[in-house]
Coordinates of all heavy atoms in Angstrom, one line a residue:
M61 N 12.0 7.8 -9.2 CA 11.9 7.5 -7.8 C 10.5 7.8 -7.3 O 9.8 8.8 -7.7 CB 12.8 8.6 -7.1 CG 13.3 8.2 -5.8 SD 14.5 9.4 -5.2 CE 14.8 8.6 -3.7
K62 N 9.9 6.8 -6.6 CA 8.6 7.0 -6.0 C 8.7 7.6 -4.6 O 9.4 7.0 -3.8 CB 7.9 5.6 -5.9 CG 7.5 5.1 -7.3 CD 6.8 3.8 -7.1 CE 6.6 3.1 -8.5 NZ 6.0 1.7 -8.3
I63 N 8.0 8.7 -4.4 CA 8.2 9.4 -3.1 C 6.8 9.5 -2.4 O 5.8 9.8 -3.1 CB 8.8 10.8 -3.4 CG1 10.1 10.6 -4.0 CG2 8.8 11.6 -2.1 CD1 10.7 11.9 -4.6
L64 N 6.8 9.3 -1.1 CA 5.6 9.4 -0.3 C 5.8 10.5 0.7 O 6.8 10.5 1.4 CB 5.3 8.1 0.4 CG 4.2 8.1 1.5 CD1 2.8 8.5 0.8 CD2 4.1 6.8 2.2
V65 N 4.9 11.5 0.7 CA 5.0 12.6 1.7 C 3.8 12.4 2.6 O 2.6 12.2 2.2 CB 4.9 14.0 1.0 CG1 4.9 15.1 2.0 CG2 6.1 14.1 0.0
I66 N 4.0 12.5 3.9 CA 2.9 12.4 4.9 C 2.7 13.7 5.6 O 3.6 14.2 6.3 CB 3.3 11.3 5.9 CG1 3.5 10.0 5.2 CG2 2.1 11.1 6.9 CD1 4.0 8.8 6.1
G67 N 1.5 14.2 5.4 CA 1.1 15.5 6.0 C 0.1 16.3 5.1 O -0.1 15.9 4.0
K68 N -0.4 17.3 5.7 CA -1.5 18.1 4.9 C -1.4 19.6 5.0 O -2.2 20.3 4.5 CB -2.8 17.7 5.4 CG -3.0 17.9 6.9 CD -4.4 17.4 7.4 CE -4.5 17.6 8.9 NZ -5.7 17.1 9.5
S69 N -0.3 20.1 5.5 CA -0.2 21.5 5.7 C 0.6 22.2 4.5 O 1.1 21.5 3.6 CB 0.5 21.8 7.0 OG 1.9 21.5 6.9
A70 N 0.8 23.5 4.7 CA 1.6 24.2 3.7 C 3.1 23.7 3.6 O 3.7 23.8 2.6 CB 1.6 25.7 4.0
R71 N 3.6 23.2 4.7 CA 4.9 22.7 4.8 C 5.1 21.5 3.8 O 6.0 21.5 3.0 CB 5.3 22.3 6.2 CG 6.6 21.7 6.4 CD 6.9 21.4 7.9 NE 5.8 20.7 8.5 CZ 5.5 20.7 9.8 NH1 6.2 21.3 10.6 NH2 4.5 20.0 10.2
E72 N 4.1 20.6 3.9 CA 4.2 19.4 3.0 C 4.0 19.9 1.5 O 4.6 19.4 0.6 CB 3.1 18.4 3.4 CG 3.4 17.7 4.6 CD 3.0 18.4 5.9 OE1 2.4 19.5 5.8 OE2 3.4 17.9 7.0
Q73 N 3.1 20.8 1.3 CA 2.9 21.4 0.0 C 4.2 22.0 -0.6 O 4.5 21.7 -1.7 CB 1.8 22.5 0.0 CG 1.5 23.1 -1.3 CD 0.5 24.2 -1.2 OE1 -0.3 24.2 -0.3 NE2 0.6 25.2 -2.0
A74 N 4.9 22.7 0.2 CA 6.2 23.3 -0.2 C 7.2 22.2 -0.6 O 7.9 22.3 -1.6 CB 6.8 24.2 0.8
F75 N 7.3 21.1 0.2 CA 8.2 20.0 -0.1 C 7.8 19.4 -1.5 O 8.6 19.1 -2.3 CB 8.1 18.9 1.0 CG 9.2 19.1 2.0 CD1 9.1 20.0 3.0 CD2 10.3 18.3 1.9 CE1 10.1 20.1 4.0 CE2 11.3 18.4 2.9 CZ 11.2 19.3 3.9
I76 N 6.5 19.1 -1.6 CA 6.0 18.5 -2.9 C 6.3 19.4 -4.1 O 6.7 18.9 -5.1 CB 4.5 18.1 -2.7 CG1 4.4 16.9 -1.7 CG2 3.9 17.7 -4.1 CD1 3.0 16.6 -1.3
E77 N 6.0 20.7 -4.0 CA 6.3 21.6 -5.1 C 7.7 21.6 -5.5 O 8.1 21.7 -6.6 CB 5.8 23.0 -4.7 CG 4.3 23.1 -4.8 CD 3.7 24.5 -4.4 OE1 4.5 25.4 -4.1 OE2 2.5 24.6 -4.3
A78 N 8.6 21.4 -4.5 CA 10.1 21.3 -4.8 C 10.4 20.0 -5.4 O 11.2 19.9 -6.4 CB 10.9 21.6 -3.5
I79 N 9.8 18.9 -4.9 CA 10.1 17.6 -5.3 C 9.7 17.4 -6.8 O 10.4 16.8 -7.6 CB 9.5 16.5 -4.4 CG1 10.1 16.5 -3.0 CG2 9.6 15.1 -5.1 CD1 9.3 15.8 -2.0
V80 N 8.6 17.9 -7.1 CA 8.0 17.7 -8.5 C 8.9 18.3 -9.6 O 8.9 17.9 -10.7 CB 6.6 18.3 -8.6 CG1 6.6 19.8 -8.7 CG2 5.8 17.6 -9.7
Q81 N 9.8 19.2 -9.2 CA 10.7 19.8 -10.1 C 11.9 18.9 -10.4 O 12.6 19.1 -11.4 CB 11.2 21.2 -9.6 CG 10.1 22.2 -9.5 CD 10.6 23.5 -8.8 OE1 11.7 23.9 -9.0 NE2 9.7 24.1 -8.1
S82 N 12.1 17.9 -9.6 CA 13.2 17.0 -9.8 C 12.9 16.0 -11.0 O 11.9 15.4 -11.0 CB 13.5 16.2 -8.6 OG 14.5 15.2 -8.8
E83 N 13.9 15.8 -11.8 CA 13.8 14.8 -12.9 C 13.7 13.4 -12.3 O 13.2 12.4 -12.9 CB 15.0 14.9 -13.8 CG 15.0 16.2 -14.6 CD 16.3 16.3 -15.5 OE1 17.1 15.3 -15.5 OE2 16.4 17.3 -16.1
R84 N 14.2 13.2 -11.1 CA 14.2 11.9 -10.5 C 12.9 11.5 -9.9 O 12.7 10.3 -9.6 CB 15.3 11.8 -9.4 CG 16.7 12.0 -10.0 CD 17.8 12.0 -8.9 NE 17.8 10.6 -8.4 CZ 18.5 10.3 -7.3 NH1 19.1 11.2 -6.6 NH2 18.5 9.1 -6.8
A85 N 12.0 12.4 -9.7 CA 10.7 12.2 -9.1 C 9.8 11.5 -10.2 O 9.2 12.2 -11.0 CB 10.1 13.4 -8.5
E86 N 9.6 10.2 -10.1 CA 8.8 9.5 -11.0 C 7.3 9.6 -10.7 O 6.5 9.8 -11.5 CB 9.3 8.0 -11.0 CG 8.4 7.1 -11.7 CD 8.9 5.6 -11.5 OE1 10.0 5.4 -11.2 OE2 8.0 4.7 -11.5
K87 N 7.0 9.5 -9.4 CA 5.6 9.5 -8.9 C 5.7 10.0 -7.4 O 6.5 9.6 -6.7 CB 5.0 8.1 -8.9 CG 3.7 7.9 -8.4 CD 2.6 8.3 -9.5 CE 1.2 8.1 -8.9 NZ 0.2 8.6 -9.8
I88 N 4.7 10.9 -7.1 CA 4.6 11.4 -5.8 C 3.2 11.1 -5.2 O 2.2 11.3 -5.8 CB 4.8 12.9 -5.7 CG1 6.2 13.3 -6.4 CG2 4.7 13.5 -4.3 CD1 6.3 14.8 -6.6
F89 N 3.3 10.5 -4.0 CA 2.0 10.2 -3.3 C 2.0 11.1 -2.0 O 3.1 11.4 -1.5 CB 2.0 8.7 -2.8 CG 2.0 7.8 -4.0 CD1 3.2 7.2 -4.4 CD2 0.8 7.4 -4.6 CE1 3.2 6.3 -5.5 CE2 0.8 6.4 -5.6 CZ 2.0 5.9 -6.0
C90 N 0.8 11.4 -1.5 CA 0.7 12.1 -0.3 C -0.4 11.5 0.6 O -1.5 11.3 0.1 CB 0.4 13.6 -0.6 SG 0.4 14.6 0.9
I91 N -0.1 11.2 1.8 CA -1.1 10.8 2.8 C -1.4 12.1 3.5 O -0.6 12.7 4.2 CB -0.6 9.7 3.7 CG1 -0.3 8.4 2.9 CG2 -1.6 9.4 4.8 CD1 0.3 7.3 3.7
G92 N -2.7 12.4 3.5 CA -3.1 13.7 4.0 C -3.6 14.6 2.9 O -4.7 14.5 2.4
G93 N -2.7 15.4 2.4 CA -3.0 16.3 1.3 C -3.9 17.4 1.6 O -4.4 17.6 2.7
N94 N -4.0 18.3 0.6 CA -4.9 19.4 0.7 C -5.2 19.8 -0.8 O -4.7 19.2 -1.7 CB -4.3 20.6 1.5 CG -3.1 21.2 0.8 OD1 -3.0 21.4 -0.4 ND2 -2.1 21.6 1.7
P95 N -6.2 20.7 -1.0 CA -6.6 21.0 -2.4 C -5.4 21.4 -3.3 O -5.4 21.2 -4.5 CB -7.6 22.2 -2.2 CG -8.2 21.9 -0.9 CD -7.0 21.4 0.0
K96 N -4.4 22.1 -2.8 CA -3.2 22.5 -3.6 C -2.3 21.3 -3.9 O -1.7 21.2 -5.0 CB -2.5 23.6 -3.0 CG -3.3 24.9 -3.0 CD -2.5 26.1 -2.5 CE -3.4 27.3 -2.6 NZ -2.7 28.5 -2.1
I97 N -2.2 20.4 -2.9 CA -1.3 19.2 -3.1 C -1.8 18.3 -4.2 O -0.9 17.8 -4.9 CB -1.1 18.5 -1.7 CG1 -0.2 19.3 -0.8 CG2 -0.5 17.1 -1.9 CD1 -0.1 18.7 0.6
I98 N -3.1 18.2 -4.4 CA -3.6 17.2 -5.4 C -3.2 17.6 -6.8 O -3.3 16.8 -7.7 CB -5.1 17.0 -5.2 CG1 -5.9 18.3 -5.4 CG2 -5.4 16.4 -3.9 CD1 -7.4 18.1 -5.5
K99 N -2.7 18.9 -7.0 CA -2.2 19.3 -8.3 C -0.9 18.6 -8.7 O -0.6 18.4 -9.8 CB -2.0 20.8 -8.3 CG -3.2 21.6 -8.2 CD -2.8 23.1 -8.2 CE -4.1 24.0 -7.9 NZ -3.7 25.4 -7.9
Y100 N -0.2 18.1 -7.6 CA 1.1 17.6 -7.9 C 1.3 16.1 -7.4 O 2.2 15.5 -7.9 CB 2.2 18.4 -7.1 CG 2.1 19.9 -7.3 CD1 1.5 20.8 -6.4 CD2 2.6 20.4 -8.5 CE1 1.5 22.1 -6.7 CE2 2.6 21.8 -8.8 CZ 2.0 22.6 -7.9 OH 1.9 24.0 -8.1
A101 N 0.5 15.7 -6.5 CA 0.6 14.3 -6.0 C -0.7 13.6 -6.0 O -1.7 14.2 -5.9 CB 1.2 14.4 -4.6
E102 N -0.6 12.3 -6.0 CA -1.7 11.4 -5.8 C -2.0 11.3 -4.3 O -1.1 10.8 -3.6 CB -1.5 10.0 -6.4 CG -2.7 9.1 -6.3 CD -2.5 7.8 -6.9 OE1 -1.7 7.7 -7.9 OE2 -3.0 6.8 -6.4
C103 N -3.1 11.8 -3.9 CA -3.4 11.7 -2.4 C -4.1 10.4 -2.1 O -4.9 9.8 -2.8 CB -4.4 12.9 -2.0 SG -3.5 14.5 -2.2
V104 N -3.6 9.8 -1.0 CA -4.0 8.5 -0.5 C -4.8 8.7 0.9 O -4.3 9.5 1.7 CB -2.8 7.6 -0.3 CG1 -3.2 6.3 0.2 CG2 -2.0 7.5 -1.6
N105 N -5.9 8.1 1.0 CA -6.7 8.3 2.2 C -6.4 7.2 3.2 O -7.0 6.1 3.2 CB -8.2 8.2 1.8 CG -9.1 8.6 3.0 OD1 -8.6 9.2 4.0 ND2 -10.3 8.3 2.9
I106 N -5.4 7.5 4.1 CA -5.0 6.6 5.2 C -5.0 7.5 6.4 O -4.4 8.6 6.4 CB -3.7 5.9 5.0 CG1 -3.7 5.1 3.8 CG2 -3.3 5.1 6.2 CD1 -2.3 4.5 3.4
P107 N -5.7 7.2 7.5 CA -5.8 8.0 8.7 C -4.4 8.1 9.3 O -3.6 7.2 9.3 CB -6.7 7.2 9.6 CG -7.5 6.3 8.8 CD -6.6 6.0 7.6
F108 N -4.1 9.3 9.9 CA -2.8 9.5 10.5 C -2.5 8.6 11.7 O -1.3 8.4 12.0 CB -2.6 11.0 10.9 CG -2.4 11.9 9.8 CD1 -2.3 13.3 10.0 CD2 -2.2 11.5 8.5 CE1 -2.1 14.2 9.0 CE2 -1.9 12.4 7.4 CZ -1.9 13.7 7.7
D109 N -3.5 8.0 12.3 CA -3.3 7.2 13.4 C -3.1 5.7 13.0 O -3.0 4.8 13.8 CB -4.4 7.2 14.4 CG -5.8 6.8 13.9 OD1 -5.9 6.5 12.7 OD2 -6.7 6.7 14.7
D110 N -2.9 5.4 11.7 CA -2.7 4.1 11.2 C -1.4 4.0 10.5 O -1.3 3.8 9.3 CB -3.9 3.7 10.3 CG -4.0 2.2 10.0 OD1 -3.0 1.5 10.3 OD2 -4.9 1.8 9.3
I111 N -0.3 4.0 11.2 CA 1.0 4.0 10.6 C 1.3 2.6 10.0 O 2.1 2.5 9.1 CB 2.1 4.5 11.5 CG1 2.3 3.6 12.8 CG2 2.0 5.9 11.9 CD1 3.5 3.9 13.6
H112 N 0.7 1.6 10.5 CA 0.9 0.3 9.9 C 0.3 0.2 8.5 O 0.9 -0.5 7.6 CB 0.3 -0.8 10.8 CG 1.2 -1.0 12.0 ND1 1.1 -0.3 13.1 CD2 2.3 -1.9 12.2 CE1 2.0 -0.6 14.0 NE2 2.7 -1.6 13.5
S113 N -0.8 0.8 8.2 CA -1.4 0.9 6.9 C -0.5 1.7 6.0 O -0.4 1.5 4.8 CB -2.8 1.4 6.9 OG -3.7 0.5 7.4
M114 N 0.1 2.8 6.5 CA 1.1 3.6 5.8 C 2.3 2.7 5.4 O 2.7 2.8 4.2 CB 1.5 4.8 6.6 CG 0.5 5.8 6.9 SD 1.1 7.1 7.9 CE -0.4 8.0 8.3
L115 N 2.7 1.9 6.3 CA 3.8 1.0 6.0 C 3.4 0.0 4.9 O 4.2 -0.2 3.9 CB 4.2 0.2 7.2 CG 5.3 -0.9 7.0 CD1 6.6 -0.4 6.6 CD2 5.4 -1.7 8.3
D116 N 2.2 -0.6 5.0 CA 1.7 -1.5 4.0 C 1.7 -0.8 2.6 O 2.1 -1.4 1.6 CB 0.4 -2.0 4.3 CG 0.4 -3.0 5.5 OD1 1.5 -3.5 5.9 OD2 -0.7 -3.2 6.1
F117 N 1.2 0.4 2.6 CA 1.1 1.2 1.3 C 2.5 1.4 0.7 O 2.7 1.2 -0.5 CB 0.5 2.5 1.5 CG 0.4 3.4 0.3 CD1 -0.6 3.2 -0.6 CD2 1.4 4.3 0.1 CE1 -0.6 4.0 -1.8 CE2 1.4 5.1 -1.1 CZ 0.4 4.9 -2.0
A118 N 3.5 1.8 1.6 CA 4.8 2.0 1.1 C 5.5 0.7 0.5 O 6.1 0.8 -0.5 CB 5.7 2.6 2.2
L119 N 5.2 -0.4 1.2 CA 5.8 -1.6 0.7 C 5.1 -2.1 -0.6 O 5.8 -2.5 -1.5 CB 5.6 -2.7 1.8 CG 6.5 -2.5 3.0 CD1 6.1 -3.5 4.1 CD2 8.0 -2.7 2.7
E120 N 3.8 -2.0 -0.6 CA 3.1 -2.5 -1.8 C 3.4 -1.6 -3.0 O 3.4 -2.1 -4.2 CB 1.5 -2.4 -1.5 CG 1.1 -3.5 -0.6 CD -0.3 -3.3 -0.1 OE1 -1.1 -2.4 -0.6 OE2 -0.7 -4.0 0.9
N121 N 3.6 -0.3 -2.8 CA 3.9 0.6 -3.9 C 5.4 0.8 -4.2 O 5.7 1.7 -5.0 CB 3.1 1.9 -3.7 CG 1.7 1.8 -3.9 OD1 1.1 1.8 -5.0 ND2 1.0 1.6 -2.8
E122 N 6.2 0.1 -3.5 CA 7.6 0.1 -3.7 C 8.2 1.6 -3.6 O 8.9 2.1 -4.5 CB 8.1 -0.5 -5.0 CG 7.7 -2.0 -5.1 CD 8.0 -2.7 -6.4 OE1 8.2 -1.9 -7.4 OE2 8.0 -3.9 -6.4
I123 N 7.8 2.3 -2.5 CA 8.2 3.6 -2.3 C 9.7 3.7 -2.0 O 10.2 2.9 -1.2 CB 7.4 4.3 -1.1 CG1 5.9 4.3 -1.4 CG2 7.9 5.6 -0.8 CD1 5.4 5.1 -2.6
D124 N 10.4 4.6 -2.7 CA 11.8 4.7 -2.6 C 12.2 5.6 -1.4 O 13.3 5.4 -0.8 CB 12.4 5.3 -3.9 CG 12.2 4.3 -5.0 OD1 12.7 3.2 -5.0 OD2 11.6 4.8 -6.0
L125 N 11.4 6.6 -1.1 CA 11.7 7.6 -0.1 C 10.4 8.1 0.5 O 9.5 8.5 -0.2 CB 12.5 8.7 -0.6 CG 12.8 9.9 0.4 CD1 13.6 9.4 1.6 CD2 13.4 11.1 -0.3
T126 N 10.3 8.1 1.8 CA 9.1 8.7 2.5 C 9.6 9.9 3.3 O 10.7 9.9 3.9 CB 8.5 7.7 3.5 OG1 8.0 6.6 2.8 CG2 7.3 8.3 4.3
I127 N 8.8 11.0 3.2 CA 9.1 12.2 3.9 C 7.9 12.4 4.9 O 6.8 12.7 4.4 CB 9.3 13.4 3.0 CG1 10.4 13.1 2.0 CG2 9.5 14.7 3.8 CD1 10.5 14.1 0.8
A128 N 8.2 12.2 6.1 CA 7.1 12.3 7.1 C 7.3 13.6 7.9 O 8.3 13.8 8.6 CB 7.1 11.2 8.1
L129 N 6.4 14.6 7.7 CA 6.5 15.9 8.3 C 5.4 16.1 9.4 O 5.5 17.0 10.2 CB 6.4 17.0 7.2 CG 7.5 16.9 6.2 CD1 7.2 17.9 5.0 CD2 8.8 17.2 6.8
D130 N 4.4 15.3 9.4 CA 3.3 15.4 10.3 C 3.8 14.9 11.7 O 4.3 13.8 11.9 CB 2.1 14.5 9.9 CG 1.0 14.6 10.9 OD1 0.3 15.7 10.8 OD2 0.9 13.7 11.7
E131 N 3.6 15.8 12.7 CA 4.1 15.5 14.1 C 3.5 14.3 14.7 O 4.1 13.5 15.4 CB 3.9 16.7 15.0 CG 4.8 17.9 14.7 CD 4.6 19.1 15.6 OE1 4.0 18.9 16.6 OE2 5.1 20.2 15.2
Y132 N 2.2 14.1 14.4 CA 1.5 12.9 15.0 C 2.1 11.6 14.6 O 2.4 10.8 15.5 CB 0.0 13.0 14.6 CG -0.8 11.8 15.3 CD1 -1.2 12.0 16.6 CD2 -1.0 10.6 14.6 CE1 -1.9 11.0 17.2 CE2 -1.7 9.6 15.2 CZ -2.1 9.8 16.5 OH -2.8 8.8 17.1
V133 N 2.4 11.4 13.3 CA 3.0 10.2 12.9 C 4.4 10.0 13.3 O 4.9 8.9 13.6 CB 2.8 10.0 11.3 CG1 1.4 9.9 10.9 CG2 3.6 11.0 10.5
I134 N 5.1 11.1 13.4 CA 6.5 11.1 13.9 C 6.6 10.7 15.4 O 7.3 9.8 15.7 CB 7.2 12.4 13.7 CG1 7.4 12.7 12.2 CG2 8.6 12.4 14.4 CD1 7.8 14.1 11.9
Q135 N 5.7 11.3 16.2 CA 5.8 10.9 17.6 C 5.2 9.6 17.9 O 5.3 9.1 19.0 CB 5.1 12.0 18.4 CG 3.6 12.2 18.3 CD 3.1 13.4 19.0 OE1 3.8 14.3 19.4 NE2 1.8 13.4 19.2
N136 N 4.5 9.0 16.9 CA 4.0 7.6 17.1 C 4.9 6.6 16.4 O 4.5 5.4 16.3 CB 2.6 7.5 16.6 CG 1.6 8.2 17.6 OD1 1.4 7.6 18.7 ND2 1.1 9.3 17.3
G137 N 6.1 6.9 16.1 CA 7.1 6.0 15.7 C 7.2 5.5 14.2 O 7.8 4.5 13.9
I138 N 6.7 6.3 13.3 CA 6.7 5.9 11.9 C 8.2 5.7 11.4 O 8.4 4.8 10.6 CB 6.0 6.9 11.0 CG1 5.7 6.2 9.6 CG2 6.7 8.2 10.9 CD1 4.7 6.9 8.8
T139 N 9.1 6.5 11.8 CA 10.5 6.4 11.3 C 11.1 5.1 11.8 O 11.6 4.4 10.9 CB 11.3 7.6 11.9 OG1 10.7 8.8 11.5 CG2 12.7 7.5 11.3
N140 N 10.9 4.7 13.0 CA 11.4 3.5 13.5 C 10.8 2.3 12.8 O 11.5 1.4 12.4 CB 11.2 3.3 15.0 CG 12.0 4.4 15.8 OD1 11.9 5.6 15.4 ND2 12.7 4.0 16.8
L141 N 9.5 2.3 12.6 CA 8.7 1.3 11.9 C 9.2 1.1 10.5 O 9.5 0.0 10.0 CB 7.2 1.6 11.9 CG 6.3 0.6 11.3 CD1 6.4 -0.8 12.0 CD2 4.9 1.1 11.2
F142 N 9.3 2.2 9.7 CA 9.8 2.1 8.3 C 11.2 1.6 8.2 O 11.5 0.8 7.4 CB 9.7 3.5 7.6 CG 8.3 3.7 7.1 CD1 7.1 3.5 7.8 CD2 8.2 4.2 5.8 CE1 5.9 3.7 7.3 CE2 6.9 4.5 5.2 CZ 5.8 4.2 6.0
K143 N 12.1 2.1 9.1 CA 13.5 1.7 9.1 C 13.7 0.2 9.4 O 14.5 -0.5 8.8 CB 14.4 2.5 10.0 CG 14.6 3.9 9.4 CD 15.6 4.7 10.2 CE 15.9 6.0 9.5 NZ 16.9 6.8 10.2
E144 N 12.8 -0.3 10.3 CA 12.9 -1.7 10.7 C 12.5 -2.6 9.5 O 13.0 -3.7 9.4 CB 11.8 -2.0 11.8 CG 12.3 -1.5 13.1 CD 11.1 -1.6 14.2 OE1 10.0 -2.1 13.9 OE2 11.4 -1.1 15.3
Q145 N 11.8 -2.0 8.5 CA 11.4 -2.8 7.3 C 12.3 -2.5 6.1 O 12.1 -2.9 5.0 CB 10.0 -2.5 6.9 CG 9.0 -2.9 7.9 CD 9.0 -4.5 8.1 OE1 9.0 -5.2 7.1 NE2 9.0 -4.9 9.3
G146 N 13.4 -1.7 6.4 CA 14.4 -1.4 5.4 C 14.0 -0.3 4.4 O 14.6 -0.1 3.4
L147 N 13.0 0.5 4.8 CA 12.5 1.6 4.0 C 13.3 2.9 4.3 O 13.6 3.1 5.5 CB 11.0 1.8 4.1 CG 10.2 0.7 3.7 CD1 8.7 1.0 4.0 CD2 10.3 0.5 2.2
K148 N 13.6 3.7 3.3 CA 14.2 5.0 3.6 C 13.1 6.0 3.9 O 12.1 6.2 3.2 CB 14.9 5.5 2.3 CG 16.1 4.6 2.0 CD 16.8 5.1 0.7 CE 18.0 4.1 0.4 NZ 18.6 4.5 -0.9
I149 N 13.4 6.8 5.0 CA 12.4 7.8 5.5 C 13.2 9.0 6.0 O 14.2 8.8 6.7 CB 11.5 7.2 6.6 CG1 10.4 8.2 7.0 CG2 12.2 6.6 7.7 CD1 9.3 7.6 7.7
F150 N 12.7 10.1 5.7 CA 13.3 11.4 6.2 C 12.3 11.9 7.2 O 11.2 12.4 6.9 CB 13.4 12.4 5.0 CG 13.8 13.8 5.4 CD1 15.2 14.0 5.7 CD2 12.9 14.8 5.5 CE1 15.6 15.3 6.1 CE2 13.3 16.1 5.9 CZ 14.7 16.3 6.2
A151 N 12.7 11.7 8.5 CA 11.9 12.1 9.7 C 12.7 11.8 10.9 O 13.5 10.8 10.9 CB 10.6 11.5 9.7
P152 N 12.5 12.5 12.0 CA 13.2 12.1 13.2 C 12.7 10.8 13.8 O 11.6 10.4 13.6 CB 12.8 13.2 14.2 CG 12.1 14.3 13.5 CD 11.7 13.7 12.2
S153 N 13.6 10.1 14.5 CA 13.3 8.8 15.1 C 12.3 9.1 16.3 O 12.1 10.2 16.7 CB 14.5 8.2 15.7 OG 15.0 9.0 16.8
L154 N 11.7 8.0 16.8 CA 10.8 8.1 17.9 C 11.5 8.8 19.1 O 10.9 9.7 19.7 CB 10.3 6.8 18.3 CG 9.4 6.7 19.5 CD1 8.1 7.5 19.3 CD2 9.0 5.2 19.8
E155 N 12.7 8.4 19.3 CA 13.5 9.0 20.5 C 13.7 10.5 20.3 O 13.6 11.3 21.2 CB 14.8 8.2 20.6 CG 14.6 6.8 21.0 CD 14.3 5.9 19.8 OE1 14.4 6.3 18.6 OE2 13.8 4.7 20.0
A156 N 14.1 10.9 19.1 CA 14.3 12.3 18.8 C 13.0 13.1 18.9 O 13.0 14.2 19.3 CB 15.0 12.5 17.5
A157 N 11.9 12.5 18.4 CA 10.6 13.2 18.4 C 10.2 13.4 19.9 O 9.5 14.4 20.1 CB 9.6 12.3 17.7
Q158 N 10.5 12.6 20.8 CA 10.1 12.8 22.2 C 10.8 14.1 22.7 O 10.2 14.7 23.6 CB 10.5 11.6 23.0 CG 9.7 10.4 22.7 CD 10.1 9.1 23.5 OE1 11.2 9.1 24.1 NE2 9.3 8.1 23.4
I159 N 11.9 14.4 22.3 CA 12.6 15.6 22.7 C 11.8 16.8 22.2 O 11.5 17.8 22.9 CB 14.1 15.7 22.2 CG1 14.9 14.6 22.9 CG2 14.7 17.1 22.5 CD1 16.3 14.4 22.3
G160 N 11.4 16.8 21.0 CA 10.7 17.9 20.3 C 9.3 18.1 20.8 O 8.7 19.2 20.7
T161 N 8.7 17.0 21.3 CA 7.2 17.1 21.6 C 7.0 17.0 23.1 O 5.8 17.0 23.5 CB 6.5 15.9 20.9 OG1 7.0 14.7 21.3 CG2 6.5 16.0 19.4
S162 N 8.0 17.0 23.9 CA 7.9 16.9 25.4 C 7.5 18.2 25.9 O 7.7 19.3 25.4 CB 9.1 16.3 26.0 OG 10.2 17.2 25.9

């Protein structure tokens, strides 16, 4: 399974450290990243304000699951955008994010 994690904090690091233990995790990518995350995932340099480039990356790399934990990308509709393209994503919808960020 190819997995994309979006974010750069300790929260994303904890997710990646848990994911890497799974036999099903074939390849892990991270948009954002930090010095500890690069031990476990290939970090990709896409700005957080460019969710369309994130979508292009996910499609081109045949990502099986995206885990978006960064609040900025969530409140800017990444979940809705990915789902519209048939991609699996673990993150609140734009509508749910408005409740959490209002």
Side-chain angles (χ1 to χ4, degrees):
M61 205 174 182
K62 293 181 186 174
I63 301 168
L64 172 62
V65 177
I66 302 173
K68 59 185 176 186
S69 72
R71 178 178 47 204
E72 288 81 6
Q73 179 185 329
F75 265 81
I76 290 171
E77 287 178 3
I79 292 166
V80 78
Q81 296 176 34
S82 171
E83 294 176 5
R84 295 182 67 194
E86 171 187 333
K87 178 81 177 175
I88 304 169
F89 297 94
C90 184
I91 295 174
N94 67 37
K96 291 185 179 180
I97 288 175
I98 62 172
K99 294 178 183 178
Y100 306 104
E102 180 179 328
C103 292
V104 181
N105 188 18
I106 299 174
F108 283 175
D109 64 351
D110 192 355
I111 62 173
H112 286 85
S113 289
M114 293 179 191
L115 173 64
D116 291 342
F117 177 85
L119 291 169
E120 290 169 10
N121 289 278
E122 300 176 343
I123 299 296
D124 298 300
L125 174 65
T126 298
I127 301 170
L129 301 170
D130 180 79
E131 289 180 14
Y132 183 83
V133 298
I134 294 169
Q135 69 188 15
N136 283 290
I138 195 165
T139 304
N140 297 48
L141 180 65
F142 274 47
K143 284 186 175 184
E144 287 168 4
Q145 295 298 315
L147 296 174
K148 293 180 183 173
I149 184 165
F150 175 77
S153 67
L154 176 62
E155 296 78 16
Q158 289 175 352
I159 294 169
T161 59
S162 66

